[in-house]
Amino acid sequence: MGVSRGCLLCVKVKMFVFNLIFWLGGCGVLGVGVWLAVTQGRFATLSFSFPSLSAAGLFMATGAIIMVVGFLGCLGAATEHRCLLLTFFLVLSTLFLLELVGLLVFVTCRDKFDRYAQSNLKEGLQLYETEGNVGLTRAWDVVQNEFRCCGVQNYTDWFEVRNRTWVPESCCLQQSDICQVDSASWWKEPCYEKVKRWLGENISAMGIFAACIIVVQVLGIVFSMLMYCQVRRAEKYYD
Protein backbone atom coordinates (compact mmCIF):
# COMPACT_ATOMS: atom_id res chain seq x y z
CA MET A 1 0.00 0.00 0.00
CA GLY A 2 2.98 2.31 0.65
CA VAL A 3 4.02 1.99 -3.00
CA SER A 4 0.45 2.71 -4.14
CA ARG A 5 0.27 5.76 -1.88
CA GLY A 6 3.62 6.93 -3.20
CA CYS A 7 2.37 6.58 -6.80
CA LEU A 8 -0.76 8.51 -5.89
CA LEU A 9 1.30 11.33 -4.36
CA CYS A 10 3.58 11.44 -7.42
CA VAL A 11 0.64 11.63 -9.84
CA LYS A 12 -1.10 14.16 -7.56
CA VAL A 13 1.89 16.53 -7.58
CA LYS A 14 2.40 16.19 -11.35
CA MET A 15 -1.27 16.78 -12.07
CA PHE A 16 -1.47 19.78 -9.73
CA VAL A 17 1.64 21.42 -11.25
CA PHE A 18 0.42 20.64 -14.77
CA ASN A 19 -2.99 22.20 -14.13
CA LEU A 20 -1.47 25.18 -12.33
CA ILE A 21 0.61 25.92 -15.45
CA PHE A 22 -2.53 25.31 -17.54
CA TRP A 23 -4.50 27.77 -15.37
CA LEU A 24 -1.74 30.40 -15.51
CA GLY A 25 -1.67 30.03 -19.30
CA GLY A 26 -5.42 30.67 -19.33
CA CYS A 27 -4.88 33.81 -17.23
CA GLY A 28 -2.34 35.00 -19.80
CA VAL A 29 -4.67 34.36 -22.75
CA LEU A 30 -7.55 36.08 -20.93
CA GLY A 31 -5.28 39.02 -20.14
CA VAL A 32 -4.36 39.40 -23.82
CA GLY A 33 -8.07 39.38 -24.68
CA VAL A 34 -8.87 42.06 -22.11
CA TRP A 35 -5.94 44.17 -23.33
CA LEU A 36 -7.16 43.90 -26.94
CA ALA A 37 -10.71 44.79 -25.87
CA VAL A 38 -9.52 47.87 -23.96
CA THR A 39 -6.94 49.14 -26.46
CA GLN A 40 -8.42 48.07 -29.80
CA GLY A 41 -12.13 47.72 -29.15
CA ARG A 42 -13.75 45.18 -31.45
CA PHE A 43 -10.55 45.13 -33.44
CA ALA A 44 -10.73 42.15 -35.76
CA THR A 45 -14.47 42.21 -36.46
CA LEU A 46 -14.58 41.54 -40.19
CA SER A 47 -17.55 39.18 -40.20
CA PHE A 48 -21.07 40.29 -41.11
CA SER A 49 -22.87 37.23 -39.68
CA PHE A 50 -20.76 37.08 -36.50
CA PRO A 51 -20.07 40.70 -35.46
CA SER A 52 -19.02 39.58 -31.95
CA LEU A 53 -16.39 37.23 -33.41
CA SER A 54 -13.38 39.43 -32.69
CA ALA A 55 -9.79 38.72 -31.70
CA ALA A 56 -10.47 40.08 -28.19
CA GLY A 57 -13.60 37.95 -27.81
CA LEU A 58 -11.86 34.77 -28.99
CA PHE A 59 -8.91 35.32 -26.64
CA MET A 60 -11.16 36.02 -23.65
CA ALA A 61 -13.43 33.03 -24.33
CA THR A 62 -10.46 30.69 -24.82
CA GLY A 63 -8.70 32.03 -21.72
CA ALA A 64 -11.85 31.64 -19.60
CA ILE A 65 -12.34 28.02 -20.72
CA ILE A 66 -8.68 27.17 -20.01
CA MET A 67 -8.88 28.80 -16.55
CA VAL A 68 -12.06 26.88 -15.62
CA VAL A 69 -10.63 23.56 -16.79
CA GLY A 70 -7.28 24.23 -15.09
CA PHE A 71 -8.97 25.23 -11.82
CA LEU A 72 -11.09 22.09 -11.95
CA GLY A 73 -7.96 19.98 -12.42
CA CYS A 74 -6.07 21.73 -9.58
CA LEU A 75 -9.01 21.34 -7.21
CA GLY A 76 -9.45 17.68 -8.13
CA ALA A 77 -5.73 16.99 -7.62
CA ALA A 78 -5.54 18.86 -4.29
CA THR A 79 -8.67 17.28 -2.78
CA GLU A 80 -8.27 13.85 -4.42
CA HIS A 81 -12.01 14.04 -5.10
CA ARG A 82 -13.07 11.35 -7.57
CA CYS A 83 -16.07 13.32 -8.85
CA LEU A 84 -13.92 16.36 -9.66
CA LEU A 85 -11.24 14.21 -11.31
CA LEU A 86 -13.85 12.42 -13.42
CA THR A 87 -15.49 15.74 -14.37
CA PHE A 88 -12.09 17.15 -15.38
CA PHE A 89 -11.39 14.03 -17.45
CA LEU A 90 -14.77 14.21 -19.22
CA VAL A 91 -14.56 17.96 -19.90
CA LEU A 92 -11.01 17.75 -21.30
CA SER A 93 -11.85 14.64 -23.35
CA THR A 94 -14.95 16.36 -24.77
CA LEU A 95 -12.95 19.45 -25.74
CA PHE A 96 -10.30 17.25 -27.35
CA LEU A 97 -12.91 15.32 -29.37
CA LEU A 98 -14.64 18.55 -30.44
CA GLU A 99 -11.31 19.91 -31.68
CA LEU A 100 -10.67 16.74 -33.69
CA VAL A 101 -14.18 16.84 -35.18
CA GLY A 102 -13.80 20.54 -36.00
CA LEU A 103 -10.46 19.89 -37.70
CA LEU A 104 -11.93 17.00 -39.69
CA VAL A 105 -14.94 19.07 -40.79
CA PHE A 106 -12.68 21.97 -41.80
CA VAL A 107 -10.38 19.73 -43.85
CA THR A 108 -13.22 17.93 -45.65
CA CYS A 109 -15.31 21.08 -46.27
CA ARG A 110 -12.49 23.54 -46.96
CA ASP A 111 -13.90 24.62 -50.35
CA LYS A 112 -17.34 25.30 -48.89
CA PHE A 113 -15.74 27.20 -46.01
CA ASP A 114 -13.75 29.33 -48.49
CA ARG A 115 -16.88 30.22 -50.46
CA TYR A 116 -18.89 31.01 -47.33
CA ALA A 117 -16.11 33.09 -45.78
CA GLN A 118 -15.64 35.17 -48.93
CA SER A 119 -19.37 35.74 -49.29
CA ASN A 120 -19.69 36.70 -45.62
CA LEU A 121 -16.75 39.11 -45.78
CA LYS A 122 -18.17 40.77 -48.92
CA GLU A 123 -21.45 41.35 -47.09
CA GLY A 124 -19.42 42.92 -44.29
CA LEU A 125 -18.03 45.50 -46.71
CA GLN A 126 -21.50 47.03 -46.88
CA LEU A 127 -21.13 48.06 -43.22
CA TYR A 128 -17.87 49.94 -43.81
CA GLU A 129 -17.97 53.44 -42.28
CA THR A 130 -21.58 52.97 -41.14
CA GLU A 131 -22.85 53.93 -37.70
CA GLY A 132 -22.00 51.46 -34.96
CA ASN A 133 -19.40 49.59 -37.02
CA VAL A 134 -16.19 51.36 -36.03
CA GLY A 135 -14.51 48.03 -35.21
CA LEU A 136 -15.27 46.56 -38.62
CA THR A 137 -14.10 49.72 -40.40
CA ARG A 138 -10.85 49.83 -38.41
CA ALA A 139 -10.24 46.12 -38.98
CA TRP A 140 -10.56 46.43 -42.77
CA ASP A 141 -8.24 49.44 -42.80
CA VAL A 142 -5.60 47.58 -40.79
CA VAL A 143 -5.82 44.42 -42.93
CA GLN A 144 -5.57 46.34 -46.21
CA ASN A 145 -2.69 48.49 -44.95
CA GLU A 146 -0.72 45.62 -43.43
CA PHE A 147 -1.20 43.13 -46.28
CA ARG A 148 -1.18 45.73 -49.05
CA CYS A 149 -4.36 44.38 -50.58
CA CYS A 150 -7.79 45.65 -51.53
CA GLY A 151 -11.21 44.03 -51.24
CA VAL A 152 -12.08 40.40 -50.58
CA GLN A 153 -11.75 38.87 -54.06
CA ASN A 154 -10.84 42.04 -55.92
CA TYR A 155 -10.72 45.82 -55.45
CA THR A 156 -13.97 45.98 -57.42
CA ASP A 157 -15.74 44.55 -54.34
CA TRP A 158 -15.71 48.10 -52.97
CA PHE A 159 -17.57 49.47 -56.00
CA GLU A 160 -20.75 47.78 -54.74
CA VAL A 161 -20.49 49.61 -51.42
CA ARG A 162 -20.89 53.11 -52.90
CA ASN A 163 -22.27 52.06 -56.30
CA ARG A 164 -19.40 53.83 -58.01
CA THR A 165 -15.68 53.53 -58.70
CA TRP A 166 -14.36 54.07 -55.17
CA VAL A 167 -12.14 52.35 -52.59
CA PRO A 168 -11.14 53.28 -48.99
CA GLU A 169 -7.91 55.19 -48.39
CA SER A 170 -6.40 52.00 -46.93
CA CYS A 171 -6.39 50.59 -50.49
CA CYS A 172 -4.14 53.38 -51.75
CA LEU A 173 -0.42 52.88 -52.36
CA GLN A 174 0.10 56.49 -51.31
CA GLN A 175 -2.37 58.84 -49.65
CA SER A 176 -3.61 61.70 -51.85
CA ASP A 177 -6.78 63.67 -52.50
CA ILE A 178 -7.70 61.61 -55.57
CA CYS A 179 -6.27 58.19 -54.64
CA GLN A 180 -9.70 56.79 -53.74
CA VAL A 181 -10.95 57.22 -57.32
CA ASP A 182 -7.67 56.70 -59.19
CA SER A 183 -7.33 52.97 -59.97
CA ALA A 184 -3.63 53.37 -60.80
CA SER A 185 -2.88 54.11 -57.14
CA TRP A 186 -4.64 51.08 -55.58
CA TRP A 187 -3.34 47.78 -54.27
CA LYS A 188 -4.44 45.16 -56.77
CA GLU A 189 -4.12 41.89 -54.83
CA PRO A 190 -7.24 40.48 -53.08
CA CYS A 191 -7.07 40.39 -49.29
CA TYR A 192 -8.61 36.93 -48.87
CA GLU A 193 -6.00 35.19 -51.00
CA LYS A 194 -3.15 37.24 -49.53
CA VAL A 195 -4.12 36.47 -45.94
CA LYS A 196 -4.64 32.83 -46.88
CA ARG A 197 -1.17 32.74 -48.44
CA TRP A 198 0.31 34.30 -45.30
CA LEU A 199 -1.34 31.64 -43.16
CA GLY A 200 0.07 28.96 -45.45
CA GLU A 201 3.58 30.40 -45.10
CA ASN A 202 3.24 30.34 -41.31
CA ILE A 203 1.60 26.92 -41.09
CA SER A 204 4.66 25.38 -39.42
CA ALA A 205 4.43 27.77 -36.44
CA MET A 206 0.70 27.13 -36.14
CA GLY A 207 1.34 23.38 -36.41
CA ILE A 208 3.82 23.51 -33.52
CA PHE A 209 1.35 25.53 -31.44
CA ALA A 210 -1.45 23.04 -32.21
CA ALA A 211 0.83 20.09 -31.39
CA CYS A 212 1.68 21.66 -28.01
CA ILE A 213 -2.01 22.09 -27.23
CA ILE A 214 -2.71 18.45 -28.15
CA VAL A 215 0.18 17.19 -25.99
CA VAL A 216 -1.00 19.27 -23.02
CA GLN A 217 -4.56 17.98 -23.36
CA VAL A 218 -3.48 14.35 -23.73
CA LEU A 219 -1.24 14.65 -20.64
CA GLY A 220 -4.13 16.16 -18.70
CA ILE A 221 -6.44 13.32 -19.74
CA VAL A 222 -3.84 10.67 -18.82
CA PHE A 223 -2.90 12.24 -15.45
CA SER A 224 -6.54 12.70 -14.42
CA MET A 225 -7.44 9.09 -15.21
CA LEU A 226 -4.30 7.75 -13.49
CA MET A 227 -5.08 9.75 -10.38
CA TYR A 228 -8.75 8.73 -10.49
CA CYS A 229 -7.73 5.06 -10.57
CA GLN A 230 -5.17 5.55 -7.76
CA VAL A 231 -7.74 7.33 -5.54
CA ARG A 232 -10.32 4.65 -6.19
CA ARG A 233 -7.81 1.94 -5.34
CA ALA A 234 -6.85 3.73 -2.11
CA GLU A 235 -10.49 4.16 -1.10
CA LYS A 236 -11.17 0.45 -1.66
CA TYR A 237 -8.14 -0.43 0.48
CA TYR A 238 -9.35 1.71 3.41
CA ASP A 239 -12.91 0.40 3.06
Side-chain angles (χ1 to χ4, degrees):
M1 181 60 198
V3 175
S4 178
R5 189 65 193 174
C7 290
L8 175 59
L9 182 61
C10 180
V11 174
K12 176 180 178 178
V13 171
K14 287 181 179 179
M15 184 173 172
F16 183 84
V17 171
F18 163 81
N19 281 286
L20 181 61
I21 295 171
F22 199 56
W23 183 82
L24 289 173
C27 289
V29 174
L30 180 63
V32 171
V34 172
W35 175 77
L36 282 175
V38 172
T39 59
Q40 303 293 339
R42 291 166 60 192
F43 173 73
T45 307
L46 294 173
S47 174
F48 169 73
S49 300
F50 306 99
S52 60
L53 189 64
S54 63
L58 288 174
F59 271 102
M60 286 191 288
T62 303
I65 292 171
I66 292 173
M67 285 180 66
V68 170
V69 174
F71 176 76
L72 197 62
C74 283
L75 194 60
T79 60
E80 298 181 13
H81 198 287
R82 280 200 299 158
C83 183
L84 285 173
L85 291 170
L86 186 60
T87 302
F88 174 78
F89 172 81
L90 292 174
V91 169
L92 204 55
S93 298
T94 302
L95 289 173
F96 183 69
L97 289 174
L98 288 174
E99 289 165 9
L100 290 180
V101 171
L103 179 62
L104 183 63
V105 169
F106 175 76
V107 170
T108 54
C109 303
R110 186 181 299 177
D111 292 338
K112 290 182 179 179
F113 175 81
D114 274 347
R115 288 194 295 270
Y116 173 78
Q118 291 182 57
S119 173
N120 187 259
L121 289 170
K122 285 183 73 174
E123 289 179 18
L125 296 183
Q126 303 293 330
L127 301 178
Y128 186 85
E129 291 187 336
T130 57
E131 186 178 354
N133 290 289
V134 176
L136 182 143
T137 302
R138 188 186 304 168
W140 269 113
D141 286 339
V142 170
V143 168
Q144 293 183 144
N145 276 318
E146 292 295 322
F147 287 93
R148 299 184 176 183
C149 58
C150 191
V152 180
Q153 297 173 317
N154 196 292
Y155 60 83
T156 57
D157 293 336
W158 289 107
F159 296 176
E160 301 173 16
V161 177
R162 300 289 176 88
N163 293 317
R164 61 188 176 91
T165 304
W166 173 92
V167 297
E169 287 187 6
S170 53
C171 277
C172 299
L173 282 74
Q174 292 183 338
Q175 304 295 324
S176 68
D177 295 334
I178 61 168
C179 76
Q180 290 180 273
V181 294
D182 180 14
S183 61
S185 62
W186 301 338
W187 303 114
K188 296 299 191 293
E189 290 192 77
C191 289
Y192 188 84
E193 289 301 322
K194 200 151 188 185
V195 172
K196 191 176 174 182
R197 195 183 314 142
W198 177 84
L199 290 173
E201 292 169 354
N202 292 274
I203 194 69
S204 58
M206 290 187 290
I208 293 171
F209 180 72
C212 290
I213 291 176
I214 291 172
V215 169
V216 167
Q217 288 179 321
V218 170
L219 286 175
I221 291 169
V222 171
F223 281 145
S224 60
M225 186 46 62
L226 281 174
M227 189 169 178
Y228 176 85
C229 293
Q230 290 289 343
V231 170
R232 187 176 182 183
R233 191 177 302 164
E235 287 178 351
K236 282 185 177 179
Y237 177 83
Y238 286 115
D239 290 340

